[in-house]
Amino acid sequence: MAYRITLIPGDGIGPEVTAATVQVLEATGCAFHWDHQDKVGADSVEAGGEPLPESVLESIRRNKTALKGPVTTPVGKGFKSVNVQLRQKLDLFANVRPAKSLPGLKTPFKDIDMVIFRENTEGLYSGLESYDERHGIADSIARISKVGSERIIRFCFEYAKRQGRKQVTVVHKANILKLTSGMFLRLAREVAAAYPGIEFNDRIVDNMCMQLVMHPQRYDCLVTTNLFGDILSDLAAGLVGGLGVIAGANIGEDYAVFEAVHGSAPDIAGQNKANPTALIRSAEMMLLHLGEFAAAEALHAGIMEIYTEGKYLTGDLGGPCSTTEFADHLAARVAAHV
Ligand code: NAI
Ligand code: MG
């Protein structure tokens, strides 16, 4: 049986890392039928369409699962982020972003193993923005709901329980944002009471940033609201080798979209330089989600081998390989594990 998966290459480095990921996925022996959705974001707008065409959403609703490259969002003007819209329209409320040290990389710490759970549909990304021209006043409303907060917190605890993880930290700013962050913290305390086997604590977000840079090994699962989760996951990427290696999954009740934490990296786009590891590891999460455990294991073993050897890495990690060379080496290793 072939899995029907929606494939959104995106723009910038998206098509390059997506092609590499498809090559490596196919080396696992799993069969895929890719439902290509090429026109999103600026490409779609230029062709006279919407940034996020209904046909793309329909494809994901039909297939339930998508693999997605990054999509550029214009800064300070232009259309609303395709990435944020996709998460909201499909109600992909949990953004799961593991940050684990890889072998063979020169990083300040060796033994980091965290998972960040970012609420993915509400908060400062709600899209409730307005500008009062006359008084020169801008508003962005950080609306969160009890239901939306509770479900991401519960999702984090359930994941921790299933995976045998020891600790959950809720990250907030409840000292200042007493109603929004305050509610999130209160709900986290309530949910935590139902999981006595998991150590629970909380950190104010600014202190959390300092803690993560000084003692990242002390942290395990972090659960937080949308903006804090966005920022902390790039910080966590920086601790384990950068944005080229950090995977992510957007999970909802009905659909799942797998994409890296990084963006479209316009500075290196089209140069065959991008590190596809981040999207490949997102694809590993997809294989686990599909129940393809042997394929996920083969993919994982291939990545660990390549990183342990350290000879075939991409330029962001000081290696000599292009995107396509890296993919060729990795695909061969993965195939040898099948
Ligand atoms: P970025 O993540 O695209 O790039 C930040 C830095 O990391 C750049 O120096 C880039 O070259 C490097 N980098 C990122 N991914 C890499 C990879 N796979 N291999 C090697 N180096 C890599 O963040 P930036 O520049 O802030 O955003 C660029 C665009 O991407 C913006 O339009 C932003 O809105 C969009 N974006 C899209 C996301 C998505 O589609 N989910 C997520 C984050 C940003
Ligand atoms: Mg981000």
Side-chain angles (χ1 to χ4, degrees):
M1 187 199 86
Y3 289 103
R4 258 194 101 83
I5 310 278
T6 301
L7 185 70
I8 304 171
D11 52 37
I13 60 169
E16 299 163 70
V17 295
T18 308
T21 303
V22 166
Q23 181 186 349
V24 172
L25 268 177
E26 290 181 345
T28 66
C30 263
F32 296 98
H33 184 100
W34 301 108
D35 184 354
H36 287 262
Q37 299 293 329
D38 297 334
K39 287 263 177 287
V40 294
D43 288 350
S44 175
V45 173
E46 269 164 36
E50 293 291 314
L52 178 56
E54 193 54 37
S55 52
V56 175
L57 293 165
E58 273 164 19
S59 163
I60 302 174
R61 288 195 186 104
R62 205 165 49 234
N63 299 324
K64 312 276 188 224
T65 309
L67 183 65
K68 175 185 166 297
V71 180
T72 303
T73 310
V75 175
K77 59 179 170 41
F79 59 80
K80 271 167 60 176
S81 162
V82 167
N83 313 305
V84 172
Q85 275 195 71
L86 195 65
R87 295 163 188 171
Q88 289 173 343
K89 290 194 168 162
L90 297 173
D91 202 21
L92 305 169
F93 67 90
N95 195 330
V96 184
R97 297 176 154 183
K100 191 167 190 256
S101 300
L102 277 162
L105 292 186
K106 287 197 193 70
T107 51
F109 304 95
K110 291 277 157 252
D111 40 8
I112 296 169
D113 184 5
M114 297 189 284
V115 187
I116 296 175
F117 295 83
R118 162 187 177 189
E119 199 293 318
N120 216 15
T121 58
E122 309 189 318
L124 263 170
Y125 294 61
S126 296
L128 302 168
E129 293 199 305
S130 60
Y131 181 57
D132 176 345
E133 188 95 46
R134 204 166 125 231
H135 300 97
I137 293 171
D139 284 314
S140 295
I141 296 176
R143 177 175 292 169
I144 67 168
S145 68
K146 198 169 168 226
V147 170
S149 303
E150 229 164 36
R151 67 179 176 172
I152 181 67
I153 295 162
R154 212 172 281 285
F155 186 98
C156 169
F157 274 96
E158 279 300 311
Y159 178 103
K161 191 170 133 188
R162 241 184 3 260
Q163 303 282 327
R165 290 192 166 259
K166 302 280 178 290
Q167 179 192 235
V168 169
T169 302
V170 61
V171 186
H172 62 87
K173 187 77 190 179
N175 49 333
I176 308 296
L177 308 172
K178 293 184 196 295
L179 296 184
T180 50
S181 258
M183 176 170 79
F184 199 83
L185 173 60
R186 179 167 48 76
L187 292 169
R189 286 185 174 140
E190 282 172 26
V191 173
Y195 297 86
I198 299 172
E199 187 195 329
F200 171 72
N201 56 32
D202 75 274
R203 295 283 180 276
I204 294 176
V205 62
D206 30 0
N207 175 34
M208 186 77 243
C209 292
M210 190 272 288
Q211 295 289 337
L212 283 182
V213 171
M214 300 218 30
H215 314 290
Q217 314 94 323
R218 291 185 190 167
Y219 295 90
D220 185 343
C221 295
L222 307 183
V223 62
T224 190
T225 44
N226 209 336
L227 175 67
F228 298 159
D230 190 2
I231 296 169
L232 288 175
S233 43
D234 272 38
L235 191 159
L239 293 170
V240 297
L243 284 165
V245 300
I246 290 285
N250 302 288
I251 312 275
E253 291 291 338
D254 301 314
Y255 316 109
V257 176
F258 296 84
E259 66 176 336
V261 169
H262 65 72
S264 55
D267 52 338
I268 56 165
Q271 300 172 40
N272 200 15
K273 271 189 187 170
N275 186 351
T277 305
L279 189 61
I280 292 170
R281 294 177 100 193
S282 309
E284 185 188 327
M285 295 173 83
M286 183 179 87
L287 289 171
L288 293 172
H289 177 80
L290 294 171
E292 289 291 339
F293 302 111
E297 213 164 284
L299 202 164
H300 188 77
I303 293 173
M304 289 303 131
E305 241 175 61
I306 291 271
Y307 274 85
T308 304
E309 280 172 31
K311 280 195 300 204
Y312 303 115
L313 303 180
T314 44
D316 55 319
L317 301 174
C321 284
S322 63
T323 311
T324 45
E325 286 164 347
F326 177 89
D328 288 343
H329 285 292
L330 180 56
R333 297 306 176 92
V334 171
H337 282 280
V338 175

